[in-house]
Amino acid sequence: MKIYLVGGAVRDALMGLPMKDYDYVVVGSSPAEMVAKGYKQVGADFPVFLHPYTGDEYALARTERKTGAGYHGFSVYAAPDVTLEDDLSRRDLTINAMAVDDRDHIIDPFGGQADLAAKVLRHVGPAFAEDPVRILRVARFAARYDGFSVAPETMALMRGMVEAGEVDALVPERVWQELSRGLMEAKPSRMLEVLFECGALHRLLPEVARLHGVPQPLAHHPEGPVHIHNNLVLDYAAKCGASLEVRFACLMHDLGKGVTPSESWPSHPDHEGLGLPLVEAVCDRYKVPSSCRELAMLTCRYHTHVHRALELRPGSLVKLLSNGDAFRRPERFTEFLQACRCDARGRAGKEESAYPQFDLMVQAMTAARSVNAGEVAKNTENKAFIPERIHEARVSAVKASMRQNPLLKEEHLV
Ligand SMILES: Nc1ncnc2c1ncn2[C@@H]1O[C@H](COP(=O)(O)OP(=O)(O)OP(=O)(O)O)[C@@H](O)[C@H]1O
């Protein structure tokens, strides 16, 4: 038998990047031989084995035949007569279809090295069309590697797959897995651009696709339409190293702008409220984890309130903190503020601009949280007034702390 290092590790090594997972292909062996050599078989469907000491994955060279739609209906053929080239020909992109043998020779039958040098994401062959998740993978790699473009023939193939309804057959878990990974890449906007260009965004996230070309007031948005703003917000969040929750909230925050009445454009009255059912629809569709869902809902609903924080009186600030559940969940509220800051800075020429609303809200939250609600309740004679008294105590604490803030005008402190 012969063993080759394949896939992402080879690609990343050639790019001078750290290698993460080591995946190997074994040619000329059988499950019985692998088990006899001490490898542990994992997964019933695929002939994959774990190395007894390193835990790295060793897969028998395989080919597959597709018999159903979406990611269903693959029958795997792994036998000693399957060659390395057979196996590589079933992979998605040329840059992912290279191998290295035990003497460090690179096996590159599909021109992966040339495509790496030219920064091109090109499909290996017709088998690409058999698994629609590959469209999402292409988009994800575009978001990861700076300056990479999708080969025209690959884009054409992806368009054809979308038109044939292939992405509609994807299971929600696989879509969310790829989307969430793409959001965590260096430039998530590229993922959206690639998905838009091939038509997949319209099928997978019509709420986001609908933002294309929707105008906004140029005074606040010199970058132009909503989708460009959305892209800038996302890329700024990525640049800050924001969490998945914050990035997803950024992606969702302005969905309502796609459904405001076009007569009101470029204004978008109540886009916050109109966006909420759309955020819910996306989260339901992809079984989005609750931490992402909750932050996205909060951000969609209240981001414009935070932008106006310098004009809010102490009572309104405390109300905003309550609405955002800042007393019980201060960490989530801080992530919400991060998403608001990304929204403010994700505009042409605004990336470096100050966002004093962030510090003000943190200051207000700290002051309001310093109020001991239990103590207030104990000292309130008429129990019906407990919530009011707690609110009043918080407002006083916020007011006192805000007097120290030189940015605030006296009229906002009453
Ligand atoms: N859906 C797929 N279709 C075709 N080939 C795939 C698919 N998923 C993975 N591969 C192949 O398996 C290899 C390992 O897959 P894996 O999902 O670990 O991604 P990777 O390329 O290592 O990237 P990452 O750095 O994101 O893990 C890929 O490089 C590719 O050759």
Side-chain angles (χ1 to χ4, degrees), residues 318-330:
V318 173
K319 215 164 143 201
L320 179 54
L321 291 167
S322 287
N323 288 334
D325 209 6
F327 301 113
R328 285 189 307 162
R329 312 209 27 204

Side-chain angles (χ1 to χ4, degrees), residues 6-9 11-12 20-21 23 62 64 71 88 90-93 95-98 131 133-134 137 140-141 144-145 174 178 181 185:
V6 290
R11 176 198 68 220
D12 288 344
K20 280 178 288 153
D21 305 323
D23 294 325
R62 66 178 187 251
E64 285 153 333
Y71 194 66
L88 294 177
R90 302 281 314 172
R91 290 171 184 263
D92 50 1
L93 296 170
I95 62 167
N96 290 340
M98 295 181 275
D131 177 7
V133 93
R134 290 170 187 157
R137 283 176 58 88
R140 180 159 70 74
F141 285 116
R144 182 187 298 182
Y145 298 131
R174 294 206 89 205
E178 290 299 325
R181 288 177 78 183
E185 301 290 4

Side-chain angles (χ1 to χ4, degrees), residues 1-13:
M1 74 186 200
K2 271 199 88 159
I3 295 178
Y4 301 87
L5 181 66
V6 290
V10 178
R11 176 198 68 220
D12 288 344

Side-chain angles (χ1 to χ4, degrees), residues 1-11 19 21-29 34 39 49 51 56-62 80 82-88 91 96-109:
M1 74 186 200
K2 271 199 88 159
I3 295 178
Y4 301 87
L5 181 66
V6 290
V10 178
R11 176 198 68 220
M19 297 187 278
D21 305 323
Y22 293 85
D23 294 325
Y24 297 89
V25 160
V26 183
V27 177
S29 186
M34 295 297 285
Y39 290 85
F49 300 82
H51 190 279
D56 289 331
E57 277 191 10
Y58 288 70
L60 290 187
R62 66 178 187 251
V82 178
T83 65
L84 177 67
E85 281 73 14
D86 290 337
D87 184 289
L88 294 177
R91 290 171 184 263
N96 290 340
M98 295 181 275
V100 173
D101 69 12
D102 53 3
R103 284 176 300 156
D104 270 355
H105 287 148
I106 298 170
I107 297 114
D108 177 16

